[in-house]
Amino acid sequence: MSIELDELDKLAASVFDGYLVRKDLVRKYSRQYPVPTYVVEFLLGRYCASVNESEIAEGLEIVEKQLMDRTVRTGEEELFKARAKEMGSIKIIDILRAKLDAKNDCYVAELPSLNLRDVRIDDQLVRDNERMLTDGFYAEVTLAYDGIIAQEKGGRPFGVSSLRPIQMSKADVLDVYAKARGSFSTDQWIDFLLRSIGLEPAAFNERAKRVVLLRMIPFVERNYNLIELGPRGTGKSHLFQQISPYAHLISGGKATVAKMFVNNASGQRGLVCQYDVVCFDEVSGISFDQKDGVNIMKGYMASGQFSRGKESIRAEGSVVMVGNLDVDVEQQQKVGHLLSPMPPEMRDDTAFMDRIHAYAPGWDYPKLKPSEHLTDHFGLVSDFLSECWTRLRAGNRVSVLQGRVHLGGALSGRDLEAVNKTVSGLTKLLFPDSEMPVPDEDLEWIVRVALESRRRVKEQQRRVFKSEFRNTHFSYILGPDGAEQFVSTPELHSDEAIESDPLPPGQVWGVSLGAGETGPGLYRIDVTCGPGSGVKILNQPTPPAFRESVRVGEQNLYTRSKELVGDRNPREEEFSIQMRPMDSDRTGTGLGVPVLVALCGGLLGRNTRGGTIVVGALNLGGSIEMIPNAVRIAELAIDKQAQTLLMPVSARRQLNDLPDDLWTKISIEFYKDGSDAVFKALLE
């Protein structure tokens, strides 16, 4: 069972002595016994927290004996009860739940693995461990049996005489954790965090690692609302079920208002008050037993409080929603938006969406293969890691942005709050010591992750309600002299930005007028020319609208060749033309002017201005047709980070509706006719 220690193992062993565990051992025992991973790690951490092979071997014997003697497998219930009767008491590892028996004015405990629902328990034990009154927690329980009580009518012979919750409670854990971080580089620390939750970092690319970090934020940030949708089999709920006793997974998404928030009858506080993280698995099935359940959750996600009866109750539990996308991301954006799998009452509710601080791109994370993605190396013991994370919740690290990063004007108040929370959470995860300086390069990618994960929410709001959420151009400036950098979500389009360098002759960025639901779309038009005649379209099959755009562009070139290309005779050239759609619109509607510019540029051998998008539809007579959606085209151009937008002058009045802050992000130039457009689009 021995492994060869790599550099990260040796580094971790030097600073985390007594807090490490081999993760392959954890998997071995968690599969054999009916308990979560963190329960196995609790025992392994107690007896096998060493890199010394002989110490591990000795500890494994103890762990195996305890798991065998104290965990109850199906069919062994009566055997354990009999042992309790014969020996007077036994120790078991089980979920411990409790409820009030009002008739007898006492509490009774439940031990599911033994099918016992009326176990005596002292009131003080319940008061000291209130979580047993909600959904319970794993503990080492000493279960006593009293034969005298057994003979009484209605007697309860079984009783909990003592318990030990399965979680760490040392006072100095965060000091050890924060101090040890100083020995790691940022990349090493990220890899070590992945190993600590059982993953092998070498099998993940940078974007997948960032999905994992986003999943971790709710553990260290209070009242953080995260959603992750993606393909099946990527382990979205694993972290929230197996790693920390401070997290609770609601399987199937079914919840009651009393269980989630507060029980009005008893006054008992719910899951969001008892746990750091409450995760809804299978987001499409989220439902409550009362009609106002979603509204209560919406209010809680916004403010961290909820009202039931007369009092307003504050809680700190983070809300996580995970679920599956049944189609790929590109297809999902064509048929709806990326929050479509939500239940109907949330799906198109932009106010509900606004409460989501980050949307983790589950499609960037691979389907898990145990042999490839799970680690056999050392990581932190789960109860130590989860205890450190829960203590990190107390602070706030937004101050790391002050004087260093300026966020752009497109962010609303809720956007700023969301980005600040994500930055704070990532900073706590990567720099748990608040005194440790955060380098500019690390701060920049933290800010970019925060902006991208919030913008993904904003883009879905825009798809639902375009007029209210039209400006999604999130940006930041790093340092007093930094340039404004825009952050996009990669799934929106294949090319993140239009380069500012001049394009080769015959290449032009153009925007189609769009048709129906698709709206305007960005195209790259490529033209090459050589001896011959006519125009050959390389796109097969050719969309009819694009064929028409090429036909009017070609005819305008022939009829006005003197003013467009001087002494060159376009009828003696053969042009090959290809369009490359960059968005969901693939029709090529209304691209006459960009086609004309590309034909002229290819013939004259002149470069096209860099960072420029050309817009305009021609007719055979040379007139420029009206643009029906100039503001949407301008927004698209800004989204693609173009520097210049070249439009017909007839669109000028429509652009009065373009918000002031967007005018400052792009230079809009106008042309009066086709030859003016060619003159302004091509470099001398």
Side-chain angles (χ1 to χ4, degrees):
M1 288 290 286
S2 64
I3 61 158
E4 191 173 327
L5 300 185
D6 65 10
E7 187 185 344
L8 197 54
D9 287 326
K10 291 172 184 169
L11 175 57
S14 68
V15 291
F16 279 120
D17 187 32
Y19 296 104
L20 296 179
V21 68
R22 275 246 312 271
K23 295 294 172 173
D24 57 328
L25 300 179
V26 176
R27 290 199 302 280
K28 175 188 172 187
Y29 289 109
S30 63
R31 280 195 291 262
Q32 284 182 25
Y33 298 97
V35 288
T37 303
Y38 66 81
V39 173
V40 175
E41 286 204 27
F42 179 77
L43 296 172
L44 288 170
R46 194 191 291 170
Y47 300 108
C48 308
S50 167
V51 293
N52 183 298
E53 288 295 334
S54 60
E55 288 177 20
I56 290 174
E58 285 176 30
L60 282 177
E61 288 181 26
I62 301 170
V63 170
E64 194 149 6
K65 185 170 188 331
Q66 289 201 356
L67 283 169
M68 196 177 292
D69 292 346
R70 297 181 183 181
T71 57
V72 185
R73 294 179 178 178
T74 305
E76 294 182 341
E77 300 89 347
E78 297 306 319
L79 178 64
F80 275 78
K81 289 178 194 173
R83 279 186 195 158
K85 178 183 183 304
E86 298 300 324
M87 299 163 62
S89 71
I90 55 168
K91 287 191 175 182
I92 64 165
I93 296 171
D94 197 5
I95 294 178
L96 182 65
R97 300 191 183 103
K99 63 183 178 184
L100 178 66
D101 178 0
K103 282 185 182 177
N104 297 300
D105 189 31
C106 65
Y107 291 102
V108 290
E110 177 187 344
L111 293 167
S113 66
L114 292 177
N115 287 328
L116 290 175
R117 301 183 184 282
D118 58 348
V119 180
R120 288 175 287 110
I121 187 166
D122 188 75
D123 290 6
Q124 192 57 46
L125 276 178
V126 177
R127 281 194 286 271
D128 292 344
N129 300 276
E130 276 200 326
R131 277 198 300 158
M132 71 174 74
L133 290 165
T134 51
D135 246 46
F137 57 88
Y138 272 91
E140 291 180 305
V141 177
T142 302
L143 183 68
Y145 182 87
D146 190 322
I148 296 170
I149 296 176
Q151 293 170 28
E152 296 175 5
K153 186 179 179 182
R156 292 169 172 154
F158 291 99
V160 174
S161 55
S162 66
L163 67 94
R164 178 179 179 180
I166 290 187
Q167 59 196 68
M168 185 170 284
S169 56
K170 289 184 183 174
D172 66 339
V173 289
L174 194 52
D175 296 334
V176 172
Y177 183 73
K179 183 181 175 188
R181 161 65 180 97
S183 302
F184 294 76
S185 69
T186 303
D187 287 341
Q188 285 175 325
W189 183 250
I190 291 170
D191 288 353
F192 184 59
L193 284 178
L194 262 69
R195 280 190 177 172
S196 295
I197 64 167
L199 302 174
E200 180 48 54
F204 295 86
N205 63 23
E206 286 306 307
R207 285 196 64 80
K209 288 180 184 179
R210 288 173 190 185
V211 171
V212 180
L213 291 174
L214 283 170
R215 290 176 183 174
M216 293 176 181
I217 294 174
F219 290 90
V220 298
E221 192 67 25
R222 291 179 290 199
N223 300 110
Y224 188 79
N225 307 319
L226 172 74
I227 188 165
E228 180 185 344
L229 301 178
R232 288 174 169 76
T234 55
K236 292 183 284 293
S237 59
H238 171 79
L239 185 64
F240 307 103
Q241 186 176 32
Q242 299 287 345
I243 301 300
S244 170
Y246 295 104
H248 181 80
L249 186 76
I250 299 176
S251 296
K254 305 276 189 250
T256 66
V257 171
K259 179 177 161 186
M260 186 78 180
F261 300 105
V262 66
N263 187 323
N264 277 351
S266 65
Q268 179 58 46
R269 304 293 166 92
L271 298 172
V272 292
C273 303
Q274 300 284 344
Y275 287 90
D276 289 353
V277 186
V278 179
C279 175
F280 289 88
D281 197 7
E282 296 302 333
V283 71
S284 59
I286 292 179
S287 63
F288 287 92
D289 60 331
Q290 296 175 25
K291 280 188 177 178
D292 61 347
V294 170
N295 287 332
I296 296 169
M297 187 160 92
K298 195 157 75 171
Y300 172 71
M301 288 169 71
S303 63
Q305 35 186 38
F306 52 91
S307 297
R308 299 293 287 156
K310 293 178 181 176
E311 63 175 328
S312 180
I313 299 168
R314 211 178 154 75
E316 295 180 351
S318 297
V319 175
V320 177
M321 291 168 276
V322 299
N324 300 318
L325 285 174
D326 292 324
V327 293
D328 64 31
V329 179
E330 193 174 325
Q331 182 65 23
Q332 183 67 48
Q333 291 185 108
K334 286 179 185 174
V335 299
H337 54 77
L338 294 180
L339 288 171
S340 296
M342 301 281 283
E345 58 269 34
M346 303 177 190
R347 184 177 301 150
D348 295 325
D349 183 347
T350 56
F352 182 84
M353 294 178 191
D354 228 17
R355 272 83 171 156
I356 299 169
H357 297 128
Y359 185 148
W363 49 87
D364 284 342
Y365 191 85
K367 290 203 172 195
L368 289 178
K369 297 178 187 169
S371 59
E372 184 181 338
H373 295 110
L374 302 183
T375 190
D376 292 338
H377 289 271
F378 285 87
L380 288 172
V381 179
S382 285
D383 63 321
F384 172 77
L385 180 65
S386 57
E387 189 66 28
C388 293
W389 280 356
T390 198
R391 296 187 186 201
L392 282 169
R393 289 168 75 82
N396 187 313
R397 300 292 294 280
V398 178
S399 57
V400 75
L401 295 173
Q402 287 174 1
R404 297 177 68 186
V405 176
H406 174 71
L407 298 173
L411 282 83
S412 69
R414 282 252 167 86
D415 298 328
L416 289 169
E417 180 195 356
V419 169
N420 285 341
K421 273 181 166 286
T422 305
V423 168
S424 175
L426 286 171
T427 306
K428 287 179 196 176
L429 285 168
L430 301 183
F431 301 92
D433 182 356
S434 58
E435 301 298 314
M436 188 175 180
V438 180
D440 278 356
E441 59 269 25
D442 288 333
L443 181 60
E444 183 164 20
W445 77 253
I446 285 172
V447 169
R448 291 188 72 89
V449 169
L451 286 168
E452 182 194 314
S453 57
R454 173 60 184 182
R455 180 170 175 182
R456 191 168 286 112
V457 175
K458 201 79 171 179
E459 290 293 345
Q460 312 325 308
Q461 289 178 299
R462 186 167 78 158
R463 281 176 174 260
V464 173
F465 200 173
K466 290 186 179 71
S467 60
E468 188 178 339
F469 299 100
R470 62 166 43 142
N471 189 358
T472 58
H473 310 292
F474 284 9
S475 61
Y476 68 94
I477 297 170
L478 181 66
D481 304 318
E484 186 172 22
Q485 302 286 333
F486 287 84
V487 177
S488 65
T489 57
E491 70 276 1
L492 272 181
H493 42 73
S494 49
D495 281 24
E496 240 178 78
I498 290 174
E499 298 297 329
S500 55
D501 296 335
L503 292 172
Q507 291 188 12
V508 173
W509 288 110
V511 167
S512 71
L513 306 187
E517 285 297 306
T518 58
L522 182 69
Y523 290 82
R524 172 82 162 264
I525 295 170
D526 292 351
V527 168
T528 56
C529 55
S533 63
V535 175
K536 186 165 77 177
I537 301 174
L538 301 180
N539 299 83
Q540 295 300 328
T542 307
F546 182 61
R547 182 182 286 111
E548 181 61 18
S549 294
V550 172
R551 187 172 78 89
V552 295
E554 179 188 8
Q555 289 305 314
N556 273 267
L557 175 60
Y558 293 156
T559 56
R560 305 173 67 187
S561 62
K562 279 282 182 212
E563 56 186 291
L564 289 169
V565 293
D567 295 335
R568 299 289 182 97
N569 185 354
R571 293 184 185 277
E572 294 178 357
E573 300 282 339
E574 180 182 88
F575 299 91
S576 296
I577 187 165
Q578 182 177 27
M579 69 156 183
R580 282 192 277 168
M582 301 296 171
D583 293 310
S584 56
D585 177 47
R586 296 171 182 274
T587 60
T589 305
L591 288 172
V593 175
V595 166
L596 180 63
V597 171
L599 292 170
C600 293
L603 185 56
L604 294 170
R606 281 166 54 183
N607 294 72
T608 312
R609 284 169 62 183
T612 299
I613 291 178
V614 181
V615 182
L618 274 171
N619 61 29
L620 289 173
S623 300
I624 307 294
E625 296 181 358
M626 281 291 295
I627 291 178
N629 48 0
V631 171
R632 283 186 71 186
I633 288 172
E635 289 173 343
L636 177 70
I638 292 165
D639 200 34
K640 306 296 186 184
Q641 299 175 37
Q643 284 87 45
T644 306
L645 180 61
L646 196 54
M647 303 187 86
V649 71
S650 58
R652 186 167 46 87
R653 283 201 184 116
Q654 282 188 58
L655 292 171
N656 288 337
D657 294 332
L658 192 67
D660 291 350
D661 57 332
L662 295 192
W663 274 105
T664 63
K665 292 186 167 63
I666 195 164
S667 169
I668 300 180
E669 296 181 14
F670 299 103
Y671 60 83
K672 64 177 191 264
D673 55 25
S675 58
D676 191 27
V678 171
F679 174 75
K680 287 176 173 169
L682 300 180
L683 293 175
E684 289 297 324

